[in-house]
Amino acid sequence: EALQFFKLMARSKVERDTITFNAAISAAERGGVWEKALQLLSLMAHSMVDVDTITANAAISACRKAGEWEHALRLFRLTMQHRGKLNIISFSSAISACETDAEWEMALQIFRDMARNK
């Protein structure tokens, strides 16, 4: 329903902002449609809407929950490099993504990054 409402906003020419995009990406995460979450993230950039920590966390989590650990870690690294808007939830989601494919060395590196990021 949230994704349908988001589409309706676009058709009605209602301005979408970080909060509405976050709600839509979170809905995609809960709905298990990680590809849609990434599409929305891309649309945010194209629409020049600010990405915040909530945005990054929801997109990382959507990929993680779908078992798409490589996409989750790519988003995590990009966010870390370009935006720096990470919190304990970001790091936790990235570490959890490593469980999917037993990427323990990567999880350990993320843990080290978290310690340095304090």
Side-chain angles (χ1 to χ4, degrees):
E1 291 177 20
L3 293 173
Q4 294 299 336
F5 182 71
F6 190 77
K7 287 179 187 177
L8 179 63
M9 287 178 69
R11 284 193 299 265
S12 301
K13 306 282 192 250
V14 174
E15 185 177 342
R16 298 173 293 179
D17 60 10
T18 302
I19 294 169
T20 57
F21 270 99
N22 287 350
I25 291 171
S26 293
E29 172 198 359
R30 285 188 304 279
V33 285
W34 66 275
E35 299 99 332
K36 186 65 176 175
L38 294 184
Q39 289 172 357
L40 290 165
L41 188 62
S42 177
L43 181 59
M44 278 183 86
H46 184 266
S47 303
M48 298 178 16
V49 174
D50 288 335
V51 172
D52 64 10
T53 305
I54 294 168
T55 312
N57 290 348
I60 292 166
S61 185
C63 293
R64 177 189 59 82
K65 288 179 179 179
E68 296 292 330
W69 66 272
E70 291 170 318
H71 287 287
L73 294 180
R74 189 174 302 118
L75 281 172
F76 174 79
R77 291 288 179 209
L78 285 171
T79 302
M80 189 174 204
Q81 291 170 359
H82 298 289
R83 294 182 184 89
K85 298 176 183 178
L86 299 172
N87 61 16
I88 191 69
I89 295 168
S90 314
F91 284 95
S92 179
S93 288
I95 290 169
S96 293
C98 294
E99 294 174 4
T100 305
D101 203 39
E103 293 289 327
W104 65 270
E105 291 172 328
M106 182 65 73
L108 188 56
Q109 181 58 50
I110 293 167
F111 185 75
R112 286 184 191 121
D113 292 343
M114 182 174 63
R116 281 194 297 268
N117 198 42
K118 279 188 167 184

